[in-house]
Amino acid sequence: MKPRILKYMAILLFAFSIAVAAQDTTPVVADSLTTTIAVIVPAEEVAVVEEVAQLDSGNTAWIIVATILVMMMTIPGLALFYGGLVRQKNVLSIIMQCLVITGVISILWISFGYSWVFGTAFIESGNPLSFIMGGLDKVFLHGITLNTLVPGANIPELLFALFQCMFAVITPALIIGAFAERIKFSGFLVFTILWAIIVYNPMAHWVWGGGWLQQMGAIDFAGGTVVHINAGISALVMAIMLGRRKGYRTTGHPVTPHSIPLVFIGTALLWVGWFGFNAGSGLAADGLAANAFLVTHFATAVAATGWMALDWLINKKPTAIGFCTGAVAGLVAITPAAGTVDVLGAFCIGLISTIICYCMVAYVKPKLKYDDSLDAFGVHGIGGIVGSILTGVFATQTITGAEGVQGALYGDWNQLWTQVIATGASIAYSAILTIILFFIVNKTIGLRVTKDDESIGLDISQHGEIAYSEDE
């Protein structure tokens, strides 16, 4: 018996030793397999997978800050800038208009505006409406979750929607400067809502949402066509069709600003906020954002100093309002070019824009006698046109990269022609639609206040408030 038992025990020990050895070698085989797979999969594909799946906290933090900065441009920046330029009896009307735009346009944008501009359903399905609208697939931000990221930048799409909301807010707010001190609040509100839907949304889709201007290769880094030309041309149309203010250029004295310190504070807030406007438009905290930051500041400094110099040379005194106006002209002009030009381009754009805008404000407007109250067209419209066209001149591959766009100065005249087409299309669309909207709103609700309401001021007649207490 004993030899048989020993024999069986020897067999079991041998089998157990084989099993243990096999178990010990299994991880080695798995590691080898894993290593082999890692070598076979291209590094680019691994990088893409990680990029799509992982939120970039640095980019996200920067765009949160940029969104705050762009909102600050409207309230309080633009409200104080425009508010300081009007007479004391109308300052609250400006503030109220900026406030209501911020509230109402935000509601419209989140509800359906974002889907109108950046939706994809109509484009993907080939719907003819895709010419003016991306789709309705993102109405009320439907389908966008906490984990939905914008490809490339890897920021939450929820944040991108809010960032773009601030652009939709400030654009109609810029038009306020053209009809200040003489528009009914009810008519203004209805016109602004219709304008945002029918004029702003299609234009933004064309340029930023995959529309025909973007496909054509038009460059608008942060809003030269969508924001400034769009608003500036509408401002001119409204100023002409609404008519001049009571006593404008007939009373023997100019309509003077009631608070230059408010103009200064508004300008400072706009200047700082514009860094979010331009440097944030690349959606990343990178070298492109740094360049956009730099050229925005540099062009603004050149334009503001240039305007002051012209003031000093022609009118014999440098003025604070002149410097502030020049700064805004420079900020406007560099906006479409901030992602494609270097400091040389920024210098030229700042200088050229301030000369042309100065001539429009100081000579052309008085000659033609239209009442663009706060120079919304002379600064934003003309500055946007100049900046959009000059982008096609000064764009350089030093900024855009070896395969990027470049302007006429560096040999690519096609880009200049593309910018001219985009600029012309923006002017025509904005002008025609604004004329139509003016007639509709004016015939139904009315846009111009009565002469008595204009005389006592819009603060009292439209809002029942006064900005400054008269009590001792």
Side-chain angles (χ1 to χ4, degrees), residues 21 25 34 90-91 104 146 155 179 212 231 269 289 301 316 361 364 373 386:
T25 58
T34 302
N90 296 310
V91 59
V104 171
L146 298 179
I155 63 172
F179 49 61
W212 69 278
L269 290 168
K316 308 307 179 186
V361 170
V364 176
S373 308
V386 171

Side-chain angles (χ1 to χ4, degrees), residues 51-316:
E51 188 178 358
V52 172
Q54 188 173 356
L55 180 142
D56 190 309
S57 58
N59 290 348
T60 301
W62 162 231
I63 300 305
I64 288 174
V65 173
T67 302
I68 295 170
L69 290 172
V70 180
M71 180 175 179
M72 186 180 74
M73 292 172 64
T74 305
I75 52 173
L78 192 68
L80 294 179
F81 179 74
Y82 278 170
L85 287 170
V86 298
R87 289 168 288 187
Q88 180 175 317
K89 62 183 179 180
N90 296 310
V91 59
L92 288 182
S93 70
I94 295 294
I95 292 173
M96 188 60 187
Q97 288 165 11
C98 288
L99 284 171
V100 77
I101 281 177
T102 303
V104 171
I105 300 304
S106 295
I107 295 170
L108 295 177
W109 181 257
I110 300 301
S111 299
F112 62 87
Y114 178 74
S115 185
W116 184 311
V117 176
F118 294 101
T120 58
F122 288 172
I123 296 175
E124 292 172 352
S125 65
N127 190 314
L129 286 175
S130 64
F131 178 72
I132 61 168
M133 180 186 299
L136 299 176
D137 49 311
K138 297 183 179 181
V139 168
F140 283 98
L141 305 187
H142 174 74
I144 302 176
T145 70
L146 298 179
N147 299 318
T148 306
L149 303 181
V150 176
N154 287 346
I155 63 172
E157 190 172 357
L158 293 172
L159 175 58
F160 175 70
L162 186 58
F163 179 65
Q164 287 294 330
C165 175
M166 300 311 161
F167 286 74
V169 165
I170 196 171
T171 305
L174 296 174
I175 307 174
I176 291 171
F179 49 61
E181 302 192 306
R182 61 194 189 278
I183 194 167
K184 287 172 59 176
F185 185 74
S186 57
F188 151 78
L189 184 57
V190 173
F191 170 81
T192 299
I193 290 172
L194 294 176
W195 190 91
I197 296 171
I198 298 173
V199 181
Y200 180 84
N201 286 348
M203 183 72 72
H205 171 67
W206 288 347
V207 177
W208 292 333
W212 69 278
L213 287 175
Q214 188 175 44
Q215 293 175 17
M216 187 176 68
I219 302 171
D220 187 356
F221 188 69
T225 52
V226 178
V227 178
H228 297 293
I229 295 177
N230 209 6
I233 296 301
S234 294
L236 177 63
V237 171
M238 290 293 289
I240 293 172
M241 298 188 73
L242 200 59
R244 293 179 290 182
R245 286 168 289 178
K246 180 182 176 182
Y248 178 73
R249 296 195 178 278
T250 62
T251 58
H253 59 83
V255 178
T256 56
H258 91 280
S259 177
I260 295 177
L262 285 185
V263 177
F264 157 70
I265 295 171
T267 302
L269 290 168
L270 285 169
W271 196 329
V272 173
W274 225 289
F275 295 139
F277 198 81
N278 286 1
S281 290
L283 303 181
D286 57 10
L288 183 61
N291 181 75
F293 201 131
L294 171 62
V295 297
T296 298
H297 182 69
F298 189 51
T300 305
V302 171
T305 306
W307 195 294
M308 182 194 71
L310 290 170
D311 237 356
W312 204 343
L313 180 66
I314 296 169
N315 300 317
K316 308 307 179 186

